[in-house]
Amino acid sequence: MTERRVDEETGVETTGHVWDGIEELNNPLPRWWLWTLYACIVWAIGYTVLYPAWPMLSGATTGVFGYSTRGAVAAEIAAHDAQNATLTADLVAADLSALTAGDPLHRYGVARGSAVFRANCSQCHGSGAAGAPGYPNLLDDDWLWGGDVAAIAQTVAHGIRNDTDPDARWSQMPAFGDILNPEEIGSVVAHVASLSATDAIPDAAGAVLFSENCAACHGDAGLGNRDMGAPNLADAIWLYGGDTDSLTQTVTQARFGIMPPLGQRLTDADVAAVALYVHGLGGGE
């Protein structure tokens, strides 16, 4: 730090700061910049007075206007709900199976169901509803619990094998690794593969083991039982994979997929709407 002085070359007073022999000139800030700074300060003070601004322990200052983007969105949603109140009530009361594609109520339900699906179902079933290993494809016509719109609505509302809804659909396949030895499991897998693959080699021992251990749920021909959630094993559609390794793991360890009961967080109208949407994707019966 040195004393301030007037620089001989520029005629500007120095600040007294020196770095490695370089002195800092005390040039004033541009007038336009200062006025912009002062205007921003005034605007900031006004904003903090009028609008929510300062965080507190359990919230924020509300401001004179008490405005919030959350409140604005909530108001828009309320206005939208009020506008569609009649359609929503009609959708809840309607016989979904009686609605046709040309019905305005059906169009409303499908449009609403599309949004519900993207927000609540696409994370597991995919944005296009084609599913993934362990998550059913909703575009085909293979349904564990029935594919009519009422059955779909029941599944959406109560879910599958969860512990939070007493009306959840429930089935449980035993782990045959605790019942059959590896050779027997291999025979069962070979028989199951032969049910849908024409080039698979039939296994006589596996057919007997299947009849004794699997037919009670899947049927003698492996066509499944929707009342029990037992899949059709003869249609070449596999939830966890139909190759030998996947089938062996399924038979040995069993599967226990869980779907949450969406009816606990969706409205009745949302459940009906997403059921109509899924039913209309192409695989609904």
Side-chain angles (χ1 to χ4, degrees):
M1 178 72 71
T2 62
E3 294 183 0
R4 296 184 181 184
R5 69 179 187 83
V6 176
D7 181 64
E8 296 178 356
E9 294 185 13
T10 62
V12 177
E13 184 183 31
T14 65
T15 63
H17 298 158
V18 180
W19 293 272
D20 293 334
I22 301 174
E23 294 181 284
E24 179 184 16
L25 299 180
N26 190 20
N27 284 311
L29 293 169
R31 189 62 58 89
W32 66 265
W33 193 95
L34 283 174
W35 282 115
T36 301
L37 173 63
Y38 298 149
C40 288
I41 293 173
V42 172
W43 179 87
I45 294 173
Y47 184 93
T48 58
V49 171
L50 299 177
Y51 294 95
W54 295 102
M56 309 294 284
L57 291 177
S58 60
T61 56
T62 59
V64 175
F65 291 160
Y67 173 83
S68 75
T69 53
R70 288 178 180 269
V73 171
E76 291 183 13
I77 292 175
H80 181 270
D81 289 342
Q83 185 178 8
N84 293 318
T86 300
L87 282 171
T88 300
D90 291 344
L91 182 63
V92 172
D95 177 3
L96 299 180
S97 61
L99 297 178
T100 60
D103 192 320
L105 189 59
H106 184 276
R107 292 200 300 270
Y108 168 71
V110 170
R112 178 171 181 154
S114 174
V116 174
F117 183 91
R118 289 193 299 271
N120 298 273
C121 313
S122 62
Q123 295 85 350
C124 294
H125 295 283
S127 58
Y135 301 97
N137 181 350
L138 304 179
L139 304 178
D140 59 27
D141 198 20
D142 192 62
W143 298 89
L144 287 176
W145 303 93
D148 61 84
V149 68
I152 295 172
Q154 170 77 8
T155 299
V156 171
H158 302 290
I160 306 293
R161 304 184 193 92
N162 60 74
D163 295 326
T164 57
D165 191 318
D167 294 322
R169 298 190 184 279
W170 195 274
S171 66
Q172 185 168 358
M173 174 179 172
F176 282 98
D178 299 329
I179 302 172
L180 305 177
N181 61 48
E183 183 179 353
E184 290 173 326
I185 289 177
S187 294
V188 170
V189 167
H191 174 72
V192 170
S194 70
L195 295 177
S196 59
T198 56
D199 58 345
I201 301 175
D203 189 296
V208 174
L209 289 167
F210 183 91
S211 177
E212 294 174 346
N213 296 275
C214 313
C217 295
H218 295 283
D220 292 332
L223 299 180
N225 185 338
R226 288 180 174 178
D227 293 334
M228 305 176 67
N232 184 346
L233 305 178
D235 57 6
I237 298 176
W238 303 98
L239 183 56
Y240 293 94
D243 59 276
T244 299
D245 289 341
S246 296
L247 291 175
T248 299
Q249 182 179 356
T250 296
V251 174
T252 303
Q253 301 177 358
R255 307 288 187 173
F256 196 76
I258 296 174
M259 175 180 172
L262 297 183
Q264 294 184 1
R265 68 171 182 251
L266 299 180
T267 65
D268 291 341
D270 286 339
V271 170
V274 78
L276 284 174
Y277 173 74
V278 170
H279 183 264
L281 288 175
E285 299 171 333

